[in-house]
């Protein structure tokens, strides 16, 4: 437990050392400025425009920022033999990975706080506080899930650039899952009839089993109109917990077989 | 030897710089096609490109449509816009968010001001379609459609058809003029009897009426329809 705490502290310290907090805060500030400027020039619903643009923009900044940090952090830890040094201590490889994941999740939670504050104070999301709560929670889960994938990709691929590209690819596919499911429900309208349509449909079916539906997470709609279906919270939680544990198990499986 | 090498690389640098400038002289003749109203994407593609956050993409596309034709220092007259394409944009964006009033307000307060009056029909068709989906909350846009059909397009038949839709709004807390709208259009068409029937019907079915509204209806029947005596007889 003590070793895990140290590991979490180590992740947070490296984030501080890499100026991740400042970098993300500046990026979020820029997104806010751009969203407010754009919103103020809209013909109507200026606040809703700013809110939606800030919500979408800050989500993209968070996901890309923390995924890039995770990939480069792991690669540098491998290159500088920091990982070997940590694993030489009395800590199991499983606990090592859990510590890392918790560190990244705490990082994501910490970075969501300024976004929530901006939403509440400057963009005045007071009418739909439950929507803001669900949006913020699902954003943390989404970032935690992507970071977990980035960690796994960095462990397997070893190249930080490849890991970043794989993570972003995974993120886009996971965000497209809702669209893919719509294509599966009504295959002929989207893929046409014929051999290729059937092949694509089968391929999508297999992909959809293995990839979570991130399109159900962090919807800007919740901030503007509130939550329509409270069950969406459980869907997000369930998916995130199961998939994070699944990725964690894969990472442990991979790390246990690694020779240092 | 070293000096010769540096000189050689300098010469190459200058040659390539001149070549680049030469290429620029050719490429600058091909300005990007800015267009006015962007091509309308398919419903499937916008669902895919929204990446699950339809509200975010709705606002991005809505903002793009608002500024279409007026980017990069250009100002385009509304008569030069392709309203057929705009109509498809409006309906497409409604598929991302039909609750928002951003698109109907843009259509009725901005795009309806076109100098080519015949194009207003596209705006009216869209407003009719948008409001008909949820008349309870969107009656205001039906009222705008009636106004545009009546005063801009001068199509009294269309205005009357829409006015009847507006009057059928399933709520009692909308202003009385919305319920009276078909009577006003009938009056303009010279169909005074029909107008009277509508006003009579409102009088019959309204429990609590503001004295101001009663005065207006009295004025409307007496002065504009000249039918007050007839009404008094029947009541």
């Amino acid at each position: 437990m003590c070793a895990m705490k140290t590991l979490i502290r180590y992740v947070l310290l490296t984030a501080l050392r890499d100026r991740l907090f400042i970098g993300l805060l500046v990026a979020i500030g820029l997104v806010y400025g751009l969203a407010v400027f754009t919103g103020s020039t809209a013909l109507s619903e200026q606040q809703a425009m700013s809110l939606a643009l800030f919500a979408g923009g800050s989500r993209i900044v968070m996901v890309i920022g923390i995924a890039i940090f995770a990939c480069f952090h792991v690669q540098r830890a491998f290159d500088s033999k920091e990982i070997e040094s940590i694993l030489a201590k009395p800590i199991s490889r499983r606990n090592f990975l859990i510590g890392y994941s918790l560190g990244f999740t705490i990082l994501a939670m910490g970075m969501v706080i300024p976004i929530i504050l901006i939403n509440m104070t400057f963009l005045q999301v007071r009418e739909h506080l439950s929507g803001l709560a669900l949006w913020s929670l699902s954003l943390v889960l989404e970032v935690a899930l992507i970071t977990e994938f980035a960690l796994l990709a960095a462990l397997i691929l070893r190249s930080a650039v490849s890991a970043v590209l794989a993570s972003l690819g995974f993120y886009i596919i996971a965000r497209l899952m809702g669209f893919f499911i719509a294509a599966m429900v009504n295959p002929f309208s989207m893929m046409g009839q014929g051999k290729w349509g059937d092949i694509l449909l089968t391929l999508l079916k297999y992909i959809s089993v293995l990839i979570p539906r991130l399109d159900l997470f962090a919807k800007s709609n919740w901030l503007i109109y509130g939550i329509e279906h409270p069950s969406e919270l459980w869907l997000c939680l369930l998916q995130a917990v199961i998939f994070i544990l699944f990725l964690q198990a894969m990472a442990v499986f991979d790390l246990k077989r690694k020779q240092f | 030897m070293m000096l010769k090498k540096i000189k050689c690389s300098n010469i190459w640098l200058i040659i390539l710089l001149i070549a680049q400038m030469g290429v620029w002289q050719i490429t600058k003749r091909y300005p990007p096609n800015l267009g006015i109203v962007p091509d309308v994407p398919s419903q499937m593609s916008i669902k895919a490109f929204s990446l699950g956050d339809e509200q975010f993409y709705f606002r991005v596309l809505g903002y793009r449509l608002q500024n279409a034709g007026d980017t990069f220092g250009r100002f385009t007259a509304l008569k030069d816009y392709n309203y057929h394409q705009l109509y498809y944009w409006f309906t497409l964006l409604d598929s991302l968010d039909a609750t928002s009033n951003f698109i109907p307000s843009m259509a009725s307060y901005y795009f309806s001001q076109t100098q080519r009056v015949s194009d207003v029909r596209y705006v009216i068709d869209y407003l009719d379609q948008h409001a008909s989906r949820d008349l309870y909350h969107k009656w205001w846009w039906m009222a705008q459609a009636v106004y545009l059909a009546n005063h801009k397009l001068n199509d009294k038949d269309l205005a009357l058809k829409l006015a009847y839709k507006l009057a059928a709004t399933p709520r009692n807390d909308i202003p009385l003029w919305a319920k009276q709208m078909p009577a006003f259009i009938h009056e303009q068409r010279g169909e005074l009897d029909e107008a009277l029937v509508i006003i009579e019907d409102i009088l019959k079915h309204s429990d609590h009426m503001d004295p101001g509204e009663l005065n207006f209806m009295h004025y409307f029947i007496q002065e504009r329809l000249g039918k007050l005596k007839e009404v008094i007889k029947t009541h």
Side-chain angles (χ1 to χ4, degrees), chain B residues 26-38:
Chain B
I26 302 165
T27 54
K28 76 172 183 182
R29 288 181 215 148
Y30 300 93
N33 182 17
L34 296 172
I36 301 172
V37 180

Side-chain angles (χ1 to χ4, degrees), chain B residues 101 104 109 127-128 130-147 162-163 165-179 181:
Chain B
N101 289 322
Y109 301 142
L127 291 174
D128 177 20
H130 179 83
S132 298
R133 209 180 286 130
D134 177 15
L135 210 52
Y136 187 88
H137 293 107
K138 299 283 188 174
W139 64 270
W140 176 255
W141 303 118
M142 190 60 86
Q144 293 299 317
V146 176
Y147 165 75
L162 297 171
K165 282 191 183 181
L166 174 65
T169 301
R171 59 192 284 184
N172 295 321
D173 58 341
I174 59 168
L176 213 53
W177 57 258
K179 301 274 183 192
M181 194 63 89

Side-chain angles (χ1 to χ4, degrees), chain B residues 160 183 185-196 225:
Chain B
L160 187 64
I185 311 281
H186 273 306
E187 184 211 1
Q188 286 173 19
R189 286 159 59 105
E191 298 156 356
L192 302 186
D193 288 338
E194 283 88 343
L196 183 67
L225 300 182

